[in-house]
Amino acid sequence: MKNYLLLLLLAPLFTIAQTKKNGTIYVEHPGIELVKEFDKAFTSGDVEKLKTLVTEDFRYYNGLSTNFYSNNGGNVNQLLNNVSYWNNQLDDFSIESRGSAYPDAFEFKGDVIWIYTYDILSGYDKENGFKIKTPYDRSILLNKEGNKIHRIIESFNQAHIEKYNNSFKTVENGKIYRDHPYIGVVRKIMAHFEQGNIDRMYDDYLPNARLFDINLPFGESMSIEEHKKTIQNLYDAFEVVSVNESGYPDLMQYNGDGISLISWWVIILKNKISKEEIKVYLHNDLTLNDEGKVMRSVDYYNGALLN
């Protein structure tokens, strides 16, 4: 009975919530056209036009910033400087709607109008060819008259922009070793290949390693067992005369995770039927784990020589 009475007492709490309209959402609105006009002027570098589209006390903010208390935003002059920079720096500079996402106009009570855009900002840097392509979402507040832009809060892929900014700097990403204990991994592979020891070639491979060949269709790879059959087919058609390093194998240990072992080889094969010798230039790229085991292998060579 007590539980029943409690339910009766709580019941009104679950029926109090009601819907209350606070404005209207528009997919077509003069404010949306104003923003499109702003974007056109922005991407064409028309600073004089932009001056007429924003208020004198205009400000814009990074919506992903965590600096809540001292973020005064950028003013009109900083906006115009940005416009000049992007237009001088980028080819094919554009701001376009992202997929099927429409700009929306929110007209709240009290004549407060916000425009929300969901765009892609893109372009190619003229100096180094860096391709910028980032989602670019904005919350845009209009003035009371609805004919100028008062505030912009913008959000974009900060990691992508940081990578772009770093493209003008010299930034180390690890170390390159000419000599390293793990370099022996690829030398053992090639030594066993030259000696005809197929099984021993994969001693340092992880069981689930994938092997790629530039002559395969894009994206396809082989398991160890599939690769063994490919090597056996090569042995059936050719005698391995010699395998020689061409320059040094290099081991690249990247900051964070990742070890890449790259090497260059000259392989001389003799066709068992024609007795003709051919020279194959091979570039191999191994991805190793921290224990020096092969997770991934990629071979680059002219496969037409083996036909």
Side-chain angles (χ1 to χ4, degrees):
M1 177 61 82
K2 288 182 179 179
N3 290 337
Y4 179 71
L5 291 173
L6 182 61
L7 288 173
L8 289 176
L9 291 171
L10 291 176
L13 297 178
F14 296 102
T15 59
I16 289 173
Q18 300 178 9
T19 61
K20 185 176 182 181
K21 191 174 180 180
N22 191 36
T24 308
I25 302 175
Y26 297 91
V27 70
E28 294 182 4
H29 190 280
I32 294 176
E33 298 306 313
L34 173 64
V35 170
K36 289 180 179 178
E37 202 175 351
F38 175 91
D39 288 347
K40 183 178 179 180
F42 193 103
T43 55
S44 65
D46 190 346
V47 294
E48 295 303 320
K49 180 65 174 178
L50 282 173
K51 290 178 184 179
T52 70
L53 299 176
V54 299
T55 60
E56 292 183 2
D57 58 346
F58 166 84
R59 292 279 178 177
Y60 66 96
Y61 304 88
N62 179 357
L64 300 179
S65 173
T66 57
N67 189 7
F68 299 113
Y69 301 104
S70 60
N71 186 359
N72 295 319
N75 57 29
V76 175
N77 289 333
Q78 289 168 308
L79 169 70
L80 300 181
N81 287 338
N82 280 347
V83 170
S84 297
Y85 174 82
W86 287 116
N87 279 275
N88 290 330
Q89 198 69 25
L90 299 184
D91 283 326
D92 297 332
F93 180 36
S94 68
I95 298 173
E96 298 178 348
S97 291
R98 186 164 75 244
S100 59
Y102 291 101
D104 293 316
F106 285 68
E107 196 169 281
F108 296 98
K109 287 185 177 180
D111 297 327
V112 178
I113 302 173
W114 284 87
I115 311 297
Y116 295 96
T117 67
Y118 315 92
D119 300 321
I120 294 290
L121 185 149
S122 61
Y124 301 85
D125 189 271
K126 295 176 183 178
E127 289 185 40
N128 60 23
F130 189 99
K131 179 181 178 180
I132 295 177
K133 193 168 187 178
T134 173
Y136 183 52
D137 299 341
R138 289 169 294 171
S139 302
I140 301 171
L141 175 65
L142 305 187
N143 61 0
K144 289 183 178 181
E145 294 74 23
N147 60 1
K148 290 191 177 185
I149 294 173
H150 181 53
R151 295 284 188 270
I152 294 179
I153 303 172
E154 56 185 12
S155 301
F156 43 82
N157 187 330
Q158 289 184 302
H160 184 65
I161 298 301
E162 181 180 359
K163 185 176 181 181
Y164 168 61
N165 291 333
N166 285 337
S167 69
F168 298 98
K169 305 174 184 177
T170 301
V171 181
E172 291 185 1
N173 192 32
K175 295 181 179 179
I176 299 176
Y177 296 91
R178 188 181 71 181
D179 294 302
H180 190 284
Y182 288 172
I183 288 179
V185 171
V186 70
R187 287 181 172 141
K188 286 190 291 180
I189 292 171
M190 300 307 293
H192 292 309
F193 170 72
E194 186 174 16
Q195 296 164 22
N197 300 326
I198 294 181
D199 289 332
R200 295 295 306 281
M201 285 178 60
Y202 307 92
D203 283 351
D204 291 309
Y205 281 74
L206 293 173
N208 61 346
R210 301 303 298 179
L211 296 94
F212 294 80
D213 188 311
I214 192 63
N215 298 282
L216 291 176
F218 179 77
E220 290 190 13
S221 62
M222 293 177 280
S223 66
I224 290 175
E225 292 304 317
E226 290 169 332
H227 196 261
K228 284 182 180 180
K229 292 178 183 178
T230 300
I231 298 299
Q232 185 59 60
N233 290 337
L234 180 68
Y235 285 156
D236 291 342
F238 295 92
E239 172 190 344
V240 180
V241 177
S242 68
V243 177
N244 302 288
E245 292 181 14
S246 177
Y248 288 99
D250 290 318
L251 185 140
M252 294 180 287
Q253 191 159 18
Y254 297 102
N255 292 336
D257 296 330
I259 299 175
S260 184
L261 176 53
I262 58 177
S263 56
W264 300 263
W265 305 86
V266 178
I267 301 172
I268 298 177
L269 303 172
K270 179 186 288 187
N271 189 297
K272 289 185 176 181
I273 296 177
S274 68
K275 305 304 179 183
E276 179 185 358
E277 288 191 356
I278 60 172
K279 186 181 291 186
V280 179
Y281 294 92
L282 170 70
H283 170 61
N284 174 260
D285 188 339
L286 298 178
T287 301
L288 310 180
N289 66 10
D290 291 337
E291 288 74 43
K293 297 299 181 181
V294 179
M295 300 186 294
R296 184 175 183 269
S297 174
V298 186
D299 285 328
Y300 302 87
Y301 62 97
N302 184 357
L305 295 172
L306 306 180
N307 294 332

